[in-house]
Amino acid sequence: MDAVSSRTGTVWTGIAAAVLAGVLASCAHQPPAPIPQNTPPLPGAPVPPIDVDSPGRTAGRLADWASGISDATGISATALEAYGHAAAVMAQSRPDCGIAWTTVAGIGGVESRHGTHRGAHLAADGTVTPPIRGIPLDGGPGVAEIPDTDGGAMDGDPVHDRAMGPMQFIPETWRRWGVDANGDGVADPDNLDDAALTAARYLCARGGDLTGEDGWRRALMAYNLSGRYLADVRDRANRYAVESVP
């Protein structure tokens, strides 16, 4: 990602090439920096204050912030806008919660690769197409059994519920917690702005104070009752945090 500028002149070019070769050889033998295992995860690059009550897609007000850390984290700017916006909204509506964008991003990464699972596309307004749907929750090996609760209207399955969208909500949970975050008047589980803020609301309600280890763990276990899942989210969130701060 970094470009190396060259200068004219045989002597300078030769020296620069030798120095660069030495640097690259040295880097090749250095192990990658370890990912911290902080619980809760590190907060990462601070989200700048924005007016979350203004009309339209207010997540777009974080475009400069998101573009500044997109390359470093490997997360698209649109997805970062959604995650940062969720944290910004909760900072105003639930300041006692303290949820960081890195936690929301960690979940988004595990659940759907930030809205790109199996070739899905994340549009500029946060909408993911084609819609991402999980497997039928039919009680098979390692799978919970959840009979259909929405007549297939939301998840497309009239027999069993399926997790929906980039943050993988089941229909019953979405009906209770789903919120419109991009200003189009619709709470859409297939829109990452909506899904990210819904996830943040759910986590804060279940965990309380997410700035402490107990609250954060409680929130994540409510989202997915799996120790492996918790560790995966934690590790991704900490990696994003480290990569987002120069």
Side-chain angles (χ1 to χ4, degrees):
M1 289 179 281
D2 294 328
V4 178
S5 299
S6 61
R7 300 191 185 186
T8 58
T10 303
V11 175
W12 173 258
T13 302
I15 294 174
V19 171
L20 179 59
V23 170
L24 291 176
S26 175
C27 290
H29 294 289
Q30 292 180 358
I35 299 172
Q37 295 187 331
N38 295 52
T39 306
L42 298 169
V47 177
I50 58 172
D51 181 3
V52 298
D53 296 319
S54 57
R57 183 179 180 263
T58 51
R61 295 177 179 270
L62 293 172
D64 290 343
W65 171 82
S67 64
I69 61 176
S70 178
D71 285 347
T73 59
I75 305 173
S76 71
T78 301
L80 283 167
E81 290 168 7
Y83 302 143
H85 181 256
V89 171
M90 298 311 295
Q92 295 188 29
S93 63
R94 281 288 308 272
D96 58 309
C97 173
I99 189 170
W101 69 266
T102 51
T103 288
V104 188
I107 293 174
V110 170
E111 295 288 4
S112 70
R113 298 180 182 174
H114 313 295
T116 65
H117 178 64
R118 291 188 175 178
H121 172 71
L122 178 64
D125 68 350
T127 300
V128 175
T129 52
I132 297 171
R133 295 292 180 266
I135 61 173
L137 298 175
D138 57 8
V143 178
E145 183 175 6
I146 305 179
D148 173 66
T149 62
D150 69 328
M154 298 177 69
D155 62 5
D157 190 333
V159 179
H160 294 95
D161 273 352
R162 297 180 183 233
M164 310 179 297
M167 302 298 277
Q168 290 289 277
F169 283 96
I170 61 174
E172 184 177 13
T173 305
W174 185 263
R175 282 198 302 270
R176 179 177 179 184
W177 294 99
V179 63
D180 170 30
N182 69 345
D184 66 356
V186 178
D188 181 1
D190 296 310
N191 180 278
L192 187 53
D193 287 359
D194 296 359
L197 181 54
T198 297
R201 293 178 68 234
Y202 181 83
L203 291 166
C204 287
R206 292 305 184 96
D209 180 3
L210 268 62
T211 64
E213 181 173 353
D214 289 346
W216 192 87
R217 287 184 177 276
R218 187 164 54 247
L220 264 291
M221 293 301 279
Y223 204 96
N224 189 316
L225 189 59
S226 164
R228 180 66 263 171
Y229 180 87
L230 184 150
D232 287 346
V233 170
R234 178 201 64 199
D235 290 348
R236 281 179 181 261
N238 276 312
R239 178 165 63 84
Y240 298 148
V242 170
E243 292 169 343
S244 70
V245 179

